[in-house]
């Protein structure tokens, strides 16, 4: 029942906003729908924590502690982002960058995008998961090109083609998975249900499964932004409206990684080796290193933080690749804190670029004088994402590094070096943006900074103290994934 | 229909599909490219029907009907409308090095057959020998996307790749579950509409659908 609410709210919201999206109150309606979705997610979460995994609607939906945690995170960040987008989009409209029809498209697609992500997370059918992931690309293509500037059109085209080709690989992987499943489970719609596959995973043909996993990893990995398939990501993040950057970076990447991890569980069962994990570790490590070295060359602030997303997703992929309870726990924690921190940073960056009218970092100066909240938001968010204690990112990175030191000592120096380079490049660029001289005017609408500080407070809390029920929840999820 | 006859028919149709894929690779006219794409849909429909008749798989009739409606009628119709409205109906693309592209294509076909080998050995379907061709079509469409510099041929390459994947699904497993196929069809259709809008946005901004204008975003 909660699932119906959870998926129905954003779907209905998307259709409703397509009709009334041009009204003055549309941003509020958008926030209300997102809030309703969040409530449904919260109710669903409590139920899963109390009752354990459930399936619904003829087993078409499957919720366990792993995906319910992502559902809750997705619904929460989608809600706070809708709060942020309220003043943000009004200011953009005030600046004349958006027309009323573009806003209608934006609001409608925002809800539909939330719907596709939640569908990808809750569905039990690996085929439907593919359909939802592709739909998530489709709903965001027009959002990336919302401003209709040459650069944004190019970014959206790149996004569409690269993710489309990437996800086509994932479809082939899904076909192979079905091929293997059909031999054990027989033909029909049920053979692609993850719960059924998971029950017979040891009987699945290993050669086919290893091939299938490679295709699934490359396909969904393109959407995660793993190097060397990450080319679309910085462009799409930099050229779209900031709320879209925040949800792309904070949520979509997680959802794509979720698909990879679900496939990994099946591949591990069928192969009985660490083949899938090793592949993920390789891709993850490469992403961390590539992103860290690209970071120092960025001039555009949103581009820079997009590369930072690649770095962090690489780190999480590496953690899941290592497997085992502790690394998986750290991966889940890192997913959470990265989502919260990165979206908070994008909120602050969004308002910062609105006040200065540019995304070029060398032209953004003295944010703290002009608006202390934006300045501190950006500064604290940056410190958090760079893994400074006492923020939560520190805790998860520390866990990942210490586990790596035990099981794969050779990887630790590489990771540490990449994290060090990332720290130096980002901090050196953000520091003059925040402190420094400026004489800029204020924004026409008060900026939405409550979400920034709510997110950062949560990240701080997760760094200092993980509430026991949350820790138990992560442990449950980690036990499900890491053998 | 007897199994050996339908097996031969399917192999013939698969060969035709491969031929069309090569024809698309070397076709420079946008209009002819769309027609080739529609023909690919026709052959795909017939081969799905033949498989459906010889194996009595009920859901393959539905997916054949779906292919006919979507890939032979709706998508080519949308593409025809688009090129008429965008005034690119008679566009000819200058392709460099068609012979080289063809050679690369042949290499890809050999590679595809090798890739398919372990799977074909396991498959129990009458269509299993065509899996190599299906993968070859996917790779050839991918090559086509790489060699094109204009938006519409690139999208046709993308759609042809989806055709190849669909054919792979029929060859290896007698088609994906119906609900998944419906979902994929919906995605393709929605994607086409969005691209339609997108083409107009690109043309409005760049005055052409040439993708060379869209290579500015780079990391220096």
């Amino acid at each position: 029942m909660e699932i119906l609410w959870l998926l129905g709210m954003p779907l209905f919201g998307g259709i409703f906003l397509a009709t009334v999206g041009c009204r003055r109150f549309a941003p509020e309606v958008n926030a209300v729908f997102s809030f309703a979705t969040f409530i449904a997610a919260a109710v669903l979460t409590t139920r899963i924590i109390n009752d354990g995994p459930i399936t619904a609607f003829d087993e078409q939906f499957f919720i366990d502690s792993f995906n319910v945690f992502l559902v809750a995170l997705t619904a929460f960040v989608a809600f706070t982002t809708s709060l942020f987008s309220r003043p943000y989009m009004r200011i953009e409209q005030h600046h004349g960058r958006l027309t009323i029809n573009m806003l209608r498209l934006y609001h409608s697609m925002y809800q539909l995008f939330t719907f596709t992500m939640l569908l990808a997370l809750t569905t039990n059918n690996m085929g439907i998961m593919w359909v939802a992931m592709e739909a998530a690309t489709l709903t965001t293509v027009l959002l990336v090109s919302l401003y209709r500037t040459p650069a944004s059109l190019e970014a959206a085209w790149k996004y569409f083609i690269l993710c489309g080709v990437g996800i086509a690989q994932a479809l082939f992987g899904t076909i192979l998975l079905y091929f293997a499943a059909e031999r054990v489970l027989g033909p029909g719609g049920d053979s692609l249900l993850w719960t059924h596959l998971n029950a017979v995973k040891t009987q699945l043909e290993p050669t086919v499964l290893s091939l299938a996993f490679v295709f699934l990893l490359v396909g969904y990995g393109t959407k995660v932004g793993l190097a060397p398939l990450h080319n679309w990501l910085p462009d799409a993040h930099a050229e779209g409206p900031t709320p879209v950057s925040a949800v792309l970076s904070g949520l979509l990447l997680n959802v794509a990684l979720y698909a990879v991890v679900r496939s990994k569980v099946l591949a591990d069962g069928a192969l009985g080796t660490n083949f899938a994990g090793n592949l993920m570790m390789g891709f993850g490590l490469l992403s961390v290193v590539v992103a860290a070295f690209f970071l120092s060359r960025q001039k555009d602030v949103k581009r820079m933080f997009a590369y930072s997303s690649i770095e962090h997703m690489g780190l999480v992929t590496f953690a899941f690749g290592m497997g085992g309870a502790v690394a998986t726990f750290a991966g889940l924690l890192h997913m959470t804190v990265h989502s919260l921190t990165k979206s908070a940073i994008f909120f602050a960056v969004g308002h910062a670029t609105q006040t200065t009218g540019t995304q070029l970092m060398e032209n953004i100066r003295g944010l703290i004088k002009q608006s202390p909240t934006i300045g501190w938001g950006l500064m604290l968010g940056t410190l958090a994402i760079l893994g400074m204690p006492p923020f939560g990112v520190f805790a998860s990175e520390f866990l990942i590094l210490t586990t790596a030191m035990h099981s794969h000592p050779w990887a630790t120096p590489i990771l540490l070096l990449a994290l060090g380079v990332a720290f130096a490049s980002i901090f050196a660029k953000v520091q003059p943006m925040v402190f420094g001289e400026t004489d800029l005017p204020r924004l026409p609408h008060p900026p939405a900074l409550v979400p920034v500080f709510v997110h950062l407070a949560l990240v701080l809390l997760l760094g200092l103290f993980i509430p026991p029920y949350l820790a138990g929840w992560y442990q449950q999820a980690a036990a499900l994934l890491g053998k | 229909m007897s199994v050996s006859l339908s097996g031969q028919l399917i192999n013939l149709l698969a060969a035709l599909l491969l031929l069309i894929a090569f024809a698309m690779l070397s076709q420079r006219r946008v209009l002819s490219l769309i027609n080739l794409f529609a023909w690919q849909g026709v052959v795909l429909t017939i081969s799905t029907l033949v498989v459906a008749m010889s194996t009595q798989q009920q859901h393959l009739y539905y997916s054949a009907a779906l292919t006919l409606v979507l890939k032979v009628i709706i998508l080519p119709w949308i593409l025809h409308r688009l090129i008429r409205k965008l005034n690119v109906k008679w566009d000819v693309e200058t392709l460099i090095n068609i012979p080289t592209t063809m050679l690369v294509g042949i290499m890809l076909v050999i590679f595809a057959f090798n890739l398919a080998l372990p799977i074909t050995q396991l498959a129990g379907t009458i269509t299993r020998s065509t899996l190599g061709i299906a993968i070859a079509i996917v790779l050839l469409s991918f090559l086509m996307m790489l060699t094109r510099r204009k938006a519409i041929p690139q999208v046709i390459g993308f759609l042809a790749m989806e055709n190849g994947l669909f054919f792979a699904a029929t060859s290896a497993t007698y088609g994906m579950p119906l609900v998944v196929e419906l979902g994929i069809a919906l995605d393709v259709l929605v994607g086409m509409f969005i691209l339609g809008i997108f083409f107009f946005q690109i043309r409005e901004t760049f005055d052409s659908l040439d993708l060379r204008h869209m290579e500015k975003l780079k990391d220096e």
Side-chain angles (χ1 to χ4, degrees):
Chain A
M1 193 59 214
E2 295 91 344
I3 299 178
L4 206 61
W5 268 104
L6 182 74
L7 295 174
M9 265 303 141
L11 182 63
F12 176 68
I15 297 164
F16 183 69
L17 280 162
T19 55
V20 303
C22 44
R23 302 289 175 82
R24 182 176 289 277
F25 54 79
E28 278 75 22
V29 176
N30 190 33
V32 167
F33 274 113
S34 298
F35 182 65
T37 314
F38 174 57
I39 293 293
V43 174
L44 184 68
T45 310
T46 6
R47 195 172 140 197
I48 300 297
I49 293 179
N50 292 333
D51 303 356
I54 56 161
T55 54
F57 299 107
D58 217 11
E59 296 189 276
Q60 285 304 313
F61 294 93
F62 169 64
I63 325 273
D64 61 8
S65 35
F66 175 36
N67 60 5
V68 83
F69 129 79
L70 281 170
V71 165
L73 185 65
T74 304
F76 177 71
V77 176
F79 167 56
T80 47
T81 309
S82 73
L83 289 182
F84 158 72
S85 100
R86 227 162 41 95
Y88 183 85
M89 292 315 249
R90 287 220 165 96
I91 298 170
E92 291 293 280
Q93 202 185 352
H94 185 92
H95 285 176
R97 294 188 73 188
L98 290 173
T99 64
I100 206 91
N101 269 324
M102 291 179 183
L103 276 179
R104 179 162 77 174
L105 177 78
Y106 165 78
H107 285 125
S108 173
M109 286 298 174
Y110 184 87
Q111 289 295 328
L112 289 178
F113 176 54
T114 317
F115 167 73
T116 56
M117 283 192 297
L118 291 172
L119 180 63
L121 288 173
T122 52
T123 183
N124 192 12
N125 189 323
M126 295 294 281
I128 297 296
M129 188 199 275
W130 184 89
V131 172
M133 289 299 299
E134 170 73 8
T137 315
L138 294 175
T139 47
T140 37
V141 165
L142 290 180
L143 291 185
V144 171
S145 71
L146 196 68
Y147 292 132
R148 311 269 171 91
T149 56
S152 73
L153 283 170
E154 184 187 334
W157 181 260
K158 222 169 168 182
Y159 175 44
F160 180 84
I161 291 294
L162 287 178
C163 279
V165 171
I167 209 129
Q169 318 286 314
L171 179 58
F172 189 62
T174 312
I175 292 173
L176 288 176
L177 185 65
Y178 180 59
F179 169 67
E182 200 195 19
R183 295 160 57 82
V184 182
L185 293 165
D190 288 351
S191 314
L192 268 180
L193 296 186
W194 189 83
T195 42
H196 290 207
L197 288 167
N198 194 35
V200 298
K201 62 184 173 187
T202 47
Q203 300 166 41
L204 298 172
E205 184 59 48
T207 17
V208 181
L209 251 274
S210 56
L211 205 56
F213 181 75
V214 171
F215 278 101
L216 286 166
L217 175 64
V218 170
Y220 291 129
T222 312
K223 291 215 84 160
V224 183
L226 295 179
L229 312 156
H230 65 279
N231 278 324
W232 63 274
L233 195 145
D235 298 337
H237 283 56
E239 302 305 332
T242 308
V244 176
S245 318
V247 282
L248 278 180
S249 182
L251 302 178
L252 182 66
L253 306 185
N254 278 352
V255 178
L257 189 57
Y258 164 79
V260 174
V261 174
R262 279 281 192 224
S263 319
K264 176 183 182 270
V265 174
L266 298 177
D268 279 347
L271 294 169
T273 60
N274 209 13
F275 169 74
N278 288 340
L279 264 182
M280 283 174 76
M281 275 163 56
F283 270 106
L285 204 57
L286 185 67
S287 312
V288 175
V289 173
V290 167
F293 284 92
F294 268 109
L295 271 171
S296 59
R297 298 158 68 178
Q298 301 311 312
K299 297 196 170 80
D300 182 314
V301 57
K302 281 166 80 179
R303 251 185 119 76
M304 182 177 77
F305 283 112
Y307 272 104
S308 149
S309 292
I310 299 176
E311 181 208 338
H312 286 277
M313 290 325 278
L315 204 57
V316 180
T317 311
F318 180 81
F320 283 132
M322 280 196 292
V326 182
T328 312
F329 177 92
L332 294 170
L333 182 63
H334 199 75
M335 257 175 154
T336 318
V337 287
H338 172 254
S339 284
L340 293 171
T341 318
K342 193 48 72 61
S343 39
I345 289 178
F346 272 117
F347 300 160
V349 163
H351 282 311
T353 54
Q354 277 183 330
T355 32
T356 51
T358 173
Q359 287 180 201
L360 285 179
M361 285 184 279
E362 57 194 22
N363 297 339
I364 305 175
R365 286 291 178 264
L367 288 171
I368 214 150
K369 282 213 173 123
Q370 194 266 338
S371 157
T373 42
I374 297 180
W376 278 116
L378 183 59
M379 197 67 218
L380 291 175
T382 307
L383 287 175
I385 205 76
L386 289 173
M388 290 300 277
F391 288 104
V393 183
F394 171 76
S396 54
E397 282 184 353
F398 184 76
L399 273 176
I400 293 174
L401 283 172
T402 44
T403 324
M405 217 147 5
H406 272 291
S407 55
H408 303 89
W410 52 271
T412 325
I414 309 177
L415 284 175
L416 273 176
L417 176 71
L419 289 177
V421 171
F423 186 94
S425 349
I426 295 186
F427 194 75
K429 285 180 177 163
V430 171
Q431 198 265 346
M433 282 164 63
V434 173
F435 308 101
E437 294 304 318
T438 186
D439 49 356
L440 281 165
R442 288 187 164 267
L443 285 170
H445 292 268
L449 288 155
V450 179
V452 179
F453 290 101
V454 170
H455 282 198
L456 290 177
L458 283 173
V459 175
L460 185 64
L461 177 76
L462 286 172
L464 294 172
F465 164 72
I466 302 178
Y469 68 90
L470 198 62
W473 181 17
Y474 281 141
Q475 272 155 4
Q476 266 180 33
L480 275 172
L481 300 171
K483 298 158 289 177
Chain B
M1 206 183 286
S2 78
V3 173
S4 66
L5 176 67
S6 54
Q8 302 240 339
L9 251 179
I10 291 162
N11 283 347
L12 176 72
L13 291 167
L16 263 178
L17 279 176
L18 191 63
L19 203 64
I20 295 176
F22 269 107
M24 286 170 99
L25 199 57
S26 58
Q27 182 52 255
R28 296 183 303 168
R29 280 178 193 286
V30 175
L31 188 64
S32 317
L33 207 53
I34 296 175
N35 291 337
L36 277 174
F37 172 70
W39 278 112
Q40 202 179 36
V42 171
V43 179
L44 210 54
T45 312
I46 298 173
S47 82
T48 315
L49 263 182
V50 172
V51 178
M53 279 194 288
S54 58
T55 60
Q56 302 300 326
Q57 295 274 339
Q58 200 62 42
H59 78 273
L60 276 180
Y61 286 106
Y62 299 117
S63 61
L66 195 67
T67 317
L68 181 72
V69 173
L70 186 72
K71 286 166 190 163
V72 183
I73 301 170
I74 298 181
L75 289 181
W77 180 72
I78 295 177
L79 284 165
H80 274 294
R81 258 181 76 96
L82 271 176
I83 58 167
R84 208 169 50 236
K85 287 208 167 174
L86 290 164
N87 272 324
V88 291
K89 195 169 177 181
W90 305 110
D91 246 26
V92 178
E93 199 173 1
T94 43
L95 287 177
I96 40 157
N97 258 337
I98 292 180
T100 323
T101 318
M102 286 304 196
L103 275 178
V104 176
I106 291 169
M107 304 290 283
L108 284 180
V109 175
I110 297 168
F111 173 71
F113 272 92
N114 273 317
L115 187 68
L117 208 60
I119 308 164
T120 12
Q121 278 166 352
L122 291 168
T125 54
I126 59 162
T127 45
R128 60 184 181 187
S129 49
T130 54
L131 186 65
I133 293 190
I135 298 178
I137 295 169
V138 174
L139 292 176
L140 287 174
S141 316
F142 186 54
L143 181 64
M144 176 180 158
M145 288 179 76
L146 287 177
T147 53
R148 302 295 172 140
R149 279 280 148 268
K150 294 205 170 172
I152 291 181
Q154 224 174 49
V155 165
I156 295 175
F158 184 67
L159 293 170
M161 183 148 66
E162 206 273 321
N163 275 350
L165 286 168
F166 177 83
F167 192 56
T170 348
S171 314
T173 65
Y174 294 145
M176 298 282 268
L178 197 61
V179 55
V180 178
E181 257 174 37
L182 279 174
I184 295 171
L186 184 73
D187 271 352
V188 170
L189 193 64
V190 173
M192 199 59 229
F193 275 116
I194 289 179
L195 277 172
I197 303 170
F198 201 55
F199 283 151
F200 283 98
Q201 293 182 1
I202 294 178
R203 228 259 314 249
E204 212 174 284
T205 314
F206 295 101
D207 285 325
S208 103
L209 285 172
D210 203 320
L211 299 176
R212 263 172 306 186
H213 302 290
M214 309 203 342
E215 286 168 0
K216 303 258 157 50
L217 289 178
K218 272 191 195 122
D219 284 307
E220 61 283 349

